[in-house]
Amino acid sequence: MSVKASFFSLTMLVLLSMIAFEFYNWKEDREEVEALSQHYAQEMSENFKQLMLDKAEPYRKQTLDISLAKQVIYAVKNRDEMWFEENFGGAIVQLNVDGFFLLDQTKTPFFNETSQPFLSDLSSLVALDQLSLSDGEMKHFFVKRDEGLVEFFAAPIHDLNSPIDATHPAHGFLIIAKLWDAAWMQKLNSYGIAEINFGKKIAEPYTLIQDLPLLGIEGKPAITLYLSSKNQMGKFLDEYAIQDLKLSFAITALMMVIFIFLIMKFISLPLRDIMLALEHKDKTILRKYLLKENEYGAIATELCESFDTKNKLEELNAHLEQKVAQEVDKSRLKDRVLFQQAKFAALGEMLSSIAHQWRQPLSTISVVINKIYLESKMEKLTKEGLEEEIIKLREHIALMSSLIEEFKDFFTQEGSKVDFMLHKSIEESIKITDGGLANKDMTFSIECPEEIVIHNFKKEFSHVLLVLINNAKDAILGRKIAHGTIAIKGFVKESSIVIEVLDNAGGVEASKLPHLFDPFFTTKDPASGSGTGLYIAKQIIEQNMQGSISARNEQSGLCMSIVLPQA
C-alpha cells in the first residue's frame, strides 16, 4: 500500500471512529428510552386492566345481588313473567346495560329486555350448554359480533344460604349484557391511557402495542384487545440523532481535509521523494533535504552514504555467493558420501543375513544330493524315492529364492508414500537381522497392535529400523551381555505414532547422548563403526518422513524413540 493510501485510510478510520462513537452514544440513549417506553406500556396495560375491573365491578355486583334475591328465586321457580314485567320492566335503563335475561332450569329464556335487536336471540350469542346448574360461580366473558364486542355477566339464581351442587342445583340464570360499540370504545379512549382497538393489530413507527386477550365462555380468548401508545421520546431522540450525525459528518469532513493537507505537506511528499530515491538509486532527489536539521535530513544523509557503498557491497556479495555455493557443494558431496557408506553398511548386513538364512537350506540340499548319490551307487534308488527327494530340493530352492526376493524388496527405492502395517514391518526387519543373532543368546520382543497403519516411505522406515536394531545388537555383543534382549514397541499417542527400540546393554554416557546423531560420531570401536548410521537415520526420519528421532537412557539400556505423523 502506498503512503498516500495509508494516510487516506487513516483519515477514513478517524472519520468512521467518530461516527461510530456518535452512533454508540445514540444507541445507549435509545436503549434507555426504549426500556422506559416498554415499562410505561406495561404500566398502561396494568392500569387498563384495573380500569376494566373497576368498570365491570358495578355490573358484577348488580348481577349477584339480583340472582340472590328471594323474590327473584321465587318468581323464577314459578316462571312468574308478570312479576318480572312489573319489577324489572325497563331494567336495561335502570342498570345502564344493553341486555337483561332470565333463564329457567332448562336454560330457556322466559324474560328479556335488549337495546339492540341482535341481542334478543341469546342462544345465537352464548353457548348456553356451557352454563352449569351445579356451578355456583358467576361467569364473566366476552362475545365478538359485527355490531361490536358484547360483555356478559352470568350468575346462577339460588339461595345464598343453600350452596349449589349436583343435589341442590340452581333455579336458573340471570345474564346481563353490555355492548362495546364505537361510542363505548370512544369513551374508553377518552380516559387517555392509550389508543384502544380490538381484532386488528396496527403496527406503526414509534408505537408500542400491548396485547390484552378477552376470554369467551369456554375460557379461551374470544378476541384480543390492543393498547397502542406512542413512543414520542424515541421519535424525538432519533430526530435529534440524525441532526447530530449530520453535524458530525460535516465537522469530520472538514477535519479530514485539514488533516490530509498537513499529511501531504509534512509526511507524504517527503516520503514520496525518499521512495523515488530508493527506487532509482539517485541522490539528486534527496539534495533538498540534506541541509535540513530534522528526521528527513538524517534519512537523506544515511541514504546518500548507503548509495556510495552500494558497489562495494555488491562486489562483496558476489564473492560471498560464490563461497556459499562452494560450501553447499562440499556439504552435498559429504552427504552423498555418508549415504553411500550407509548403503554399503546395510548391504553388508544384508549379505551376512543372506549367508545365515541360506546356510540351513544349503546344508539340507547337500544331504539330499548325497543321499541320492549313495542310493544310486547301491542301486537302491527308486523312481518314487527320486521324485520325493526332488520335491524336497525344489522346496528348499524355492525358500532360498523367496529370501532373495525379500531382501531385494527390502532395499528397493520407492518413489511415493504407501500404507503399511507397522507390526509386519517390524517383523520383516527382525527377520533380516536374524542371521547375525543366531546362537548368540539374544531374543526379540514386539509390543505393537497389529492394526496400526503408517502412511509413509516403507523402505526408508525399514532401513532406519534396521540401523537401530543393528546398533542395539552390536552394543549387546560388544559389552558381552548375557541373555541380551531387544524390545520394540509401537503405539499411538494423540495424533502421532511412536516406535521405541530398547536394549539391555547399559545405555550411553550422558555426555555422549547429544552427539549420537552427529556425522562420524560413534561409541563403537573405530574398526567396526563409521558413525554414519544414526546420522542418516535422522536425515530420513526428519527430512523425508516429517517425523523426529531421539535417544534417552532407560534403566536397562538405551531407548531410541521415533515419532511419525499418523496420516
Side-chain angles (χ1 to χ4, degrees):
M1 183 182 291
S2 65
V3 175
K4 291 182 180 180
S6 300
F7 284 108
F8 181 76
S9 300
L10 179 62
T11 55
M12 290 299 295
L13 181 62
V14 172
L15 170 63
L16 294 176
S17 299
M18 294 183 65
I19 295 174
F21 180 73
E22 293 286 343
F23 180 78
Y24 176 77
N25 287 337
W26 167 80
K27 186 174 181 295
E28 290 287 319
D29 295 339
R30 191 69 174 82
E31 289 178 352
E32 292 182 6
V33 170
E34 190 69 23
L36 288 174
S37 300
Q38 291 289 348
H39 180 69
Y40 169 73
Q42 187 64 33
E43 287 185 349
M44 174 196 70
S45 177
E46 296 299 327
N47 291 337
F48 186 79
K49 290 179 182 179
Q50 187 60 44
L51 174 63
M52 290 184 62
L53 291 175
D54 292 343
K55 291 188 70 61
E57 185 60 27
Y59 302 110
R60 183 191 299 271
K61 187 174 184 304
Q62 290 172 355
T63 305
L64 287 175
D65 289 344
I66 296 173
S67 66
L68 296 174
K70 294 184 178 295
Q71 297 89 339
V72 172
I73 297 172
Y74 180 80
V76 169
K77 290 170 64 176
N78 296 300
R79 293 181 62 91
D80 191 349
E81 297 182 19
M82 180 86 56
W83 184 88
F84 280 108
E85 185 66 35
E86 292 175 355
N87 289 275
F88 288 96
I92 59 175
V93 177
Q94 297 176 12
L95 301 177
N96 191 25
V97 296
D98 295 285
F100 185 89
F101 305 90
L102 286 169
L103 283 69
D104 58 17
Q105 282 190 326
T106 64
K107 303 177 187 177
T108 302
F110 65 89
F111 179 82
N112 68 80
E113 280 191 357
T114 60
S115 63
Q116 299 291 334
F118 78 93
L119 293 175
S120 300
D121 187 5
L122 181 63
S123 61
S124 66
L125 297 173
V126 179
L128 298 178
D129 58 338
Q130 296 293 324
L131 299 175
S132 175
L133 294 172
S134 60
D135 185 2
E137 295 293 328
M138 187 185 77
K139 290 186 178 293
H140 180 205
F141 56 92
F142 294 84
V143 174
K144 176 66 176 68
R145 289 293 298 264
D146 295 338
E147 294 84 353
L149 184 67
V150 184
E151 183 178 10
F152 285 94
F153 300 86
I157 299 173
H158 68 99
D159 189 350
L160 180 63
N161 298 321
S162 177
I164 295 177
D165 54 28
T167 58
H168 299 86
H171 303 291
F173 293 93
L174 170 65
I175 299 177
I176 291 178
K178 181 67 179 176
L179 176 63
W180 288 29
D181 54 8
W184 176 253
M185 294 295 297
Q186 186 176 1
K187 184 177 180 180
L188 286 177
N189 286 328
S190 67
Y191 289 101
I193 297 178
E195 183 178 347
I196 303 168
N197 64 82
F198 54 82
K200 183 168 62 176
K201 186 174 184 179
I202 303 174
E204 296 179 352
Y206 304 103
T207 301
L208 298 175
I209 301 176
Q210 292 287 323
D211 300 349
L212 184 61
L214 302 179
L215 303 181
I217 191 171
E218 298 88 353
K220 299 179 181 179
I223 193 170
T224 301
L225 196 67
Y226 298 103
L227 310 179
S228 303
S229 61
K230 295 293 184 180
N231 184 6
Q232 297 294 343
M233 293 178 64
K235 181 179 179 181
F236 295 149
L237 183 63
D238 289 349
E239 292 175 352
Y240 172 77
I242 292 173
Q243 296 296 327
D244 191 44
L245 284 175
K246 289 180 179 179
L247 180 61
S248 298
F249 269 112
I251 294 174
T252 306
L254 179 61
M255 291 178 61
M256 185 176 67
V257 172
I258 298 173
F259 188 54
I260 291 176
F261 173 76
L262 294 175
I263 288 175
M264 289 289 293
K265 182 177 181 180
F266 295 104
I267 299 177
S268 180
L269 293 177
L271 288 179
R272 182 202 63 182
D273 293 337
I274 292 172
M275 294 299 296
L276 289 174
L278 289 172
E279 182 179 355
H280 300 288
K281 304 295 186 293
D282 186 4
K283 296 189 295 183
T284 57
I285 303 176
L286 302 175
R287 287 177 181 173
K288 58 183 176 181
Y289 299 104
L290 290 175
L291 299 179
K292 293 184 178 181
E293 296 182 357
N294 55 22
E295 294 84 355
Y296 297 118
I299 293 173
T301 302
E302 292 294 329
L303 287 177
C304 290
E305 292 177 357
S306 66
F307 292 156
D308 292 336
T309 58
K310 173 178 175 293
N311 293 331
K312 295 181 180 179
L313 290 175
E314 289 179 351
E315 183 178 355
L316 288 174
N317 287 336
H319 291 296
L320 180 61
E321 290 177 358
Q322 183 179 2
K323 187 174 181 180
V324 169
Q326 292 175 354
E327 292 298 326
V328 169
D329 291 339
K330 291 181 181 179
S331 178
R332 289 175 178 172
L333 179 60
K334 181 185 72 173
D335 287 342
R336 285 197 294 269
V337 171
L338 291 177
F339 275 105
Q340 193 68 19
Q341 289 179 350
K343 182 177 179 181
F344 285 138
L347 183 61
E349 294 290 340
M350 181 188 73
L351 293 175
S352 176
S353 297
I354 291 175
H356 170 73
Q357 299 285 357
W358 274 17
R359 187 173 292 114
Q360 181 64 30
L362 286 173
S363 176
T364 304
I365 290 171
S366 177
V367 171
V368 172
I369 292 174
N370 287 333
K371 181 180 178 182
I372 293 173
Y373 177 75
L374 290 175
E375 288 183 353
S376 176
K377 285 291 185 180
M378 297 173 65
E379 296 183 354
K380 294 182 180 181
L381 183 63
T382 63
K383 180 180 179 181
E384 291 78 8
L386 179 60
E387 290 177 353
E388 182 179 349
E389 298 302 330
I390 290 175
I391 290 173
K392 291 181 181 179
L393 289 174
R394 286 177 177 175
E395 289 176 352
H396 287 286
I397 291 172
L399 175 61
M400 295 170 66
S401 177
S402 65
L403 289 173
I404 288 293
E405 290 298 323
E406 288 181 5
F407 283 106
K408 182 186 71 173
D409 291 341
F410 187 84
F411 288 98
T412 300
Q413 295 266 346
E414 56 187 343
S416 60
K417 294 181 179 180
V418 296
D419 292 332
F420 61 93
M421 308 298 293
L422 176 59
H423 191 281
K424 184 177 179 181
S425 181
I426 294 173
E427 289 181 338
E428 291 174 353
S429 299
I430 292 174
K431 185 175 181 180
I432 289 177
T433 59
D434 186 53
L437 298 175
N439 303 320
K440 292 187 173 65
D441 193 21
M442 200 174 301
T443 57
F444 278 100
S445 66
I446 301 176
E447 296 181 20
C448 176
E450 295 187 0
E451 65 272 11
I452 295 180
V453 177
I454 299 179
H455 181 74
N456 223 306
F457 296 103
K458 180 178 184 297
K459 301 299 188 302
E460 294 190 358
F461 173 75
S462 299
H463 177 79
V464 172
L465 200 58
L466 183 61
V467 169
L468 301 185
I469 294 173
N470 285 332
N471 283 352
K473 176 196 69 176
D474 293 342
I476 292 172
L477 296 176
R479 298 181 182 180
K480 299 180 180 179
I481 303 297
H483 307 294
T485 60
I486 299 176
I488 303 177
K489 299 179 181 179
F491 55 89
V492 176
K493 185 178 182 181
E494 296 179 353
S495 60
S496 301
I497 298 175
V498 181
I499 303 97
E500 293 182 346
V501 179
L502 174 65
D503 60 52
N504 64 339
V508 177
E509 295 179 14
S511 60
K512 294 181 179 181
L513 271 177
H515 305 288
L516 286 181
F517 299 99
D518 294 346
F520 305 112
F521 179 84
T522 180
T523 59
K524 304 176 185 177
D525 189 318
S528 60
S530 62
T532 60
L534 288 179
Y535 172 74
I536 297 300
K538 184 178 180 66
Q539 301 302 312
I540 291 173
I541 293 297
E542 294 183 352
Q543 296 183 12
N544 295 357
M545 305 183 72
Q546 289 76 48
S548 63
I549 183 170
S550 60
R552 67 179 184 273
N553 282 322
E554 298 283 348
Q555 292 181 353
S556 60
L558 183 66
C559 179
M560 305 298 295
S561 178
I562 299 172
V563 180
L564 296 175
Q566 192 170 7

